[in-house]
Amino acid sequence: SVLEPTWAVSDGDLEAAVGVLGVIRSVLERLEVAVAGEVDERGLAGAAGLSTQDWLVAVFGAGAPKPEVRRIAQVVAVARACRSERPTDVLVGQAVTSGAMTVEKAALVMRLVEDVRGLADPDALVADTEALVRAAWDDQDGRALSTRELIKAIRYATQLIKPAADLEADERKRRLARSLVKGTGPAGMGDYRVRLDAEGAAILDAAVEALSEPVQGPDGERDPRTAATRRADALLEVVRRGVGAPGEMPTTENAQVIVTIPWADLQDGCRGAGLTLTGELLSPGVLRRMACDARIFPMVLGAQGEVLDLGRGRRLFSPGQRKVIWRRDGHCTYPGCTIPAQWTDVHHVTWWARSGPTDIANGALLCGRHHTLVHDRDLTADIDTTGVTWHL
């Protein structure tokens, strides 16, 4: 029986057995794709009134535990790519049939291809597909992207492939999908569930991380709190500080979200994306808006990505300038908005990325919602000693 004890097997034989099992798994996965492709080609599922995916789940599960539907859906998608003659599909199919890419990774790449096929330049799509396939190609040198890393790379590729208008529409949808839901937890606890877009997640991560480090006791004893408890305490501290002095100007800077992005991509008219230290992917549009009220640290990287020089923060409105702008504006300056000043950012009316100065005459208070809208619509304004007039 395959379930017999293996205690009598030597270490060398056990290692060899694991290696053989790895080869068998790879062969079975490729055989699974080949068989699924043939079933799809012959239309066996259609004759039974089922989709290829449902037919395979039923037949695979006839004499064994049924496989996950998601897994079989991936197999079918990859099988169809292996039979396609489109250049993108050929690249993925060759990687799978040669055993250099798993079905899971191939399915991720194919989903990107299908999502943007009608939007992207065909040649650019082929080039990006080839880059992703090569990055995930497992040639046993240990440098292939993991599934998690490939997902990040695909998200980055999406930023490069999709038209800017589609990316902005996607960002608006994700912002509207933010949610905070309270439920009943165990032992009288409250159970909160938070869903955030990449920008919101980056801000929350940065704010919580800064306050969630372990704290030693007076005699050097270890912090008894778990990491989850420290993060919860940090979030409560952020909220406490925010509501503790609701009418006063903040004495600390905004949460420091560290992002890497080429300088040219941050400026107008360029495509690209920024990556936070926690892996959140932010578009240049989001970063330009965040840069209105954050320090910018110029960092010079070498050819291998090593840091050669890290400049000083610059371009931030000073506390004195903020006080003057607070007194002048009083609240968000967007017409009809009454969000108080303590919940606003200082926006460069002429964007700093467009060489806008950090002057009182170029600063206007905007709440988060209208800060986003002003950037999305590229709105301009006039500023005088009495306030800000937006051109809508």
Side-chain angles (χ1 to χ4, degrees):
S1 169
V2 295
L3 299 180
E4 286 181 0
T6 55
W7 59 267
V9 179
S10 68
D11 292 352
D13 288 343
L14 190 59
E15 181 179 350
V18 173
V20 171
L21 284 174
V23 174
I24 292 174
R25 288 181 61 188
S26 178
V27 172
L28 284 177
E29 188 172 63
R30 282 178 276 170
L31 182 59
E32 194 177 35
V33 169
V35 169
E38 190 62 30
V39 168
D40 194 49
E41 183 74 13
R42 295 188 186 188
L44 297 180
L50 296 172
S51 66
T52 300
Q53 172 182 302
D54 290 339
W55 189 92
L56 287 169
V57 169
V59 176
F60 275 135
K66 285 188 176 181
E68 292 186 7
V69 175
R70 176 177 172 273
R71 160 71 184 178
I72 299 304
Q74 291 178 335
V75 170
V76 173
V78 173
R80 288 172 177 168
C82 290
R83 289 178 168 269
S84 172
E85 295 182 356
R86 290 185 292 200
T88 51
D89 300 11
V90 170
L91 288 168
V92 175
Q94 288 176 344
V96 173
T97 54
S98 66
M101 179 182 280
T102 64
V103 165
E104 184 178 22
K105 290 182 180 181
L108 289 171
V109 175
M110 283 310 305
R111 187 170 67 181
L112 165 69
V113 171
E114 294 303 324
D115 284 348
V116 302
R117 193 185 296 280
L119 303 173
D121 175 78
D123 293 336
L125 181 56
V126 171
D128 288 339
T129 302
E130 183 177 11
L132 290 170
V133 168
R134 288 186 179 279
W137 192 284
D138 187 3
D139 55 4
Q140 298 182 342
D141 62 358
R143 292 197 296 268
L145 294 182
S146 66
T147 300
R148 185 174 181 179
E149 291 169 337
L150 180 61
I151 291 173
K152 291 181 182 179
I154 288 173
R155 290 173 57 200
Y156 189 91
T158 302
Q159 295 279 349
L160 299 177
I161 294 174
K162 274 193 174 183
D166 291 330
L167 291 175
E168 292 169 1
D170 289 344
E171 287 176 355
R172 285 193 292 270
K173 290 178 182 177
R174 284 191 286 268
R175 281 196 294 270
L176 291 175
R178 292 173 176 173
S179 68
L180 172 62
V181 180
K182 180 182 179 181
T184 302
M189 304 281 283
D191 191 3
Y192 287 84
R193 188 177 66 204
V194 182
R195 180 181 294 115
L196 297 173
D197 58 334
E199 178 188 0
I203 294 172
L204 182 60
D205 288 346
V208 169
E209 182 182 7
L211 297 172
S212 60
E213 293 293 327
V215 178
Q216 291 185 346
D219 298 323
E221 61 266 27
R222 183 176 180 179
D223 193 330
R225 301 174 300 166
T226 65
T229 300
R230 295 199 307 271
R231 287 193 293 270
D233 289 346
L235 179 59
L236 290 175
E237 179 64 16
V238 171
V239 175
R240 185 191 67 78
R241 293 182 184 183
V243 301
E248 300 178 9
M249 189 178 75
T251 57
T252 59
E253 299 175 8
N254 286 353
Q256 293 185 357
V257 180
I258 300 177
V259 183
T260 58
I261 184 172
W263 173 248
D265 290 348
L266 184 61
Q267 295 175 300
D268 279 340
C270 295
R271 301 295 306 281
L275 189 66
T276 71
L277 295 186
T278 56
E280 300 295 341
L281 198 68
L282 305 177
S283 72
V286 168
L287 296 180
R288 282 192 289 269
R289 175 163 45 80
M290 293 176 70
C292 277
D293 201 32
R295 290 187 183 275
I296 301 296
F297 292 90
M299 180 183 294
V300 180
L301 301 180
Q304 303 302 318
E306 70 276 16
V307 179
L308 301 181
D309 180 58
L310 180 63
R312 294 175 58 84
R314 56 192 173 93
R315 200 251 338 107
L316 196 66
F317 281 96
S318 69
Q321 289 175 314
R322 287 171 181 268
K323 288 179 181 178
V324 173
I325 295 173
W326 266 47
R327 288 197 213 99
R328 184 196 67 200
D329 295 345
H331 52 75
C332 174
T333 58
Y334 195 85
C337 186
T338 58
I339 295 294
Q342 64 268 22
W343 300 111
T344 63
D345 301 325
V346 181
H347 166 70
H348 285 73
V349 174
T350 300
W351 298 359
W352 180 73
R354 297 174 177 172
S355 301
T358 306
D359 294 337
I360 294 172
N362 192 44
L365 297 185
L366 287 173
C367 66
R369 178 169 177 266
H370 290 125
H371 199 172
T372 298
L373 187 147
V374 164
H375 272 267
D376 287 347
R377 298 184 181 178
D378 199 4
L379 300 180
T380 60
D382 291 329
I383 301 178
D384 56 30
T385 55
T386 61
V388 182
T389 303
W390 287 98
H391 306 302
L392 306 184

